[in-house]
Amino acid sequence: MDATMIGLTVVGVAVTGETPRVLVVRQVPPTAPAGDPVVEGMPAPHRDSLPFGPFDPQQHRTLESGLRDWVEQQTGLPLRYVEQLYTFGDRYRDHGELTGGPRVVSVGYLALVREAPLSGTGGAEWRDWYEFLPWEDWRDGRPPLVDRVIRPALRRWIDTSRDEAARDLRTERVGLSFGSGVEDTAWDFERALERYELLYEAGLVVEAQRDRDAIRAAGKADPITQRSSETPKALGKPMASDNRRFLAAALGRLRGKLKYRPLVFELLPPTFTLFRLQQVVEALSGVGLHKQNFRRLVASGGLVEPTGQVETLSRGRPAELFRFRREVLRERTSSGVGVPAVRAAD
């Protein structure tokens, strides 16, 4: 029976100014057996990684306690709000498995934090979320690379299908994820994970080429049938293992919860301006919001209340300070901040 290791991975999110930030470390724990030679031709792993560590059942009382220990050790940052996100256990997702290491099943978590100085053993950094997923940032309209690079490449991928049914399925997936380019399709900002997985399967991200080369170098059979041989594009910065997949899953989860849970307030100080609240919502949703419409939405939802104080550090006219109105949690089951739809054909 092959060995299996349970890994713990966190997507630590903060918003600084207008920038959504994610915790990245430059340390990838080894999973191949000690002393194993490096396979000739095996591509070097990318160094940017989400904080990660193995679950030790002797040391860690729960999965979450193990996660918190690893993150604090690697980044020096104690976590506040944490929720379990997703579990990935695909064959060869960790390249150590190709050289006799264990199958790594990683349990992913989403953590909402406020940006703070980092320390620890992992060479941790704060990085712009959209450096890794640039097609997800629509705050200034549809990203040019969607029309210039992604849609033409996906059309080529559709055309390589072996039969009509496969082409129809691919056409449907592309339309749901990136719009058809013909119809006025709504851009579903929650489909971040589906979009990344589609780009990976179509061979458009660097990780797809890297994983294919590693599998071939190790003389293994590719577990993904009909993996595309499309030359990968410069679609954001690659990460170690399938960490961008975790990142996309976290983005989709956060965007979905914006509509019915007040998670956005976990990323804000106890008092804040409405302008700051709007910045955070725009950063996470990837959508620009109309100032007055947003404020009417927040007021009608009863999410915030004035403190009677003003922000004195801002330039120009002092801005009124608000706080999250916690009573809303008892008043109704859905207490999120709505985000308007945008059109993929805009």
Side-chain angles (χ1 to χ4, degrees), residues 200-239:
Y200 180 90
E201 187 177 336
L204 299 182
V205 292
V206 170
E207 287 91 333
Q209 178 76 50
R210 181 197 65 198
D211 292 349
R212 181 169 57 242
D213 290 348
I215 291 168
R216 288 175 177 172
K220 304 291 186 179
D222 193 337
I224 300 179
T225 59
Q226 301 180 21
R227 188 195 294 263
S228 172
S229 58
E230 173 88 24
T231 301
K233 314 300 180 185
L235 299 181
K237 294 185 177 180
M239 300 186 79

Side-chain angles (χ1 to χ4, degrees), residues 53-211:
F55 173 67
D56 184 344
Q58 302 302 317
Q59 180 181 352
H60 303 139
R61 185 179 65 85
T62 65
L63 293 174
E64 185 176 317
S65 67
L67 177 83
R68 291 177 180 275
D69 287 349
W70 276 114
V71 172
E72 191 158 1
Q73 176 181 319
Q74 293 177 5
T75 71
L77 187 70
L79 297 180
R80 296 170 59 244
Y81 176 91
V82 173
E83 68 171 76
Q84 194 170 121
L85 178 65
Y86 217 99
T87 300
F88 292 119
D90 300 32
R91 179 171 293 150
Y92 306 143
R93 57 175 295 272
D94 184 285
H95 288 180
E97 186 182 353
L98 292 167
T99 56
R103 178 80 162 267
V104 180
V105 177
S106 285
V107 182
Y109 286 82
L110 169 65
L112 303 183
V113 298
R114 295 172 196 159
E115 186 168 338
L118 302 173
S119 57
T121 63
E125 300 176 1
W126 290 105
R127 301 284 289 278
D128 182 342
W129 190 313
Y130 294 123
E131 288 181 17
F132 303 104
L133 305 172
W135 56 87
E136 294 291 345
D137 187 1
W138 285 57
R139 288 173 293 178
D140 295 322
R142 185 171 66 245
L145 64 84
V146 172
D147 288 331
R148 189 179 67 246
V149 179
I150 292 176
R151 279 178 172 165
L154 289 176
R155 281 195 291 270
R156 292 192 297 272
W157 179 65
I158 291 171
D159 291 341
T160 63
S161 302
R162 296 181 178 179
D163 56 63
E164 185 176 352
R167 281 194 297 275
D168 289 345
L169 179 58
R170 289 185 178 186
T171 300
E172 180 182 45
R173 291 177 63 196
V174 170
L176 290 172
S177 296
F178 287 98
S180 65
V182 178
E183 299 177 359
D184 189 22
T185 311
W187 174 265
D188 188 343
F189 63 96
E190 294 181 42
R191 290 184 177 271
L193 178 58
E194 290 97 321
R195 278 188 284 274
Y196 179 78
E197 292 186 329
L198 182 65
L199 293 173
Y200 180 90
E201 187 177 336
L204 299 182
V205 292
V206 170
E207 287 91 333
Q209 178 76 50
R210 181 197 65 198
D211 292 349

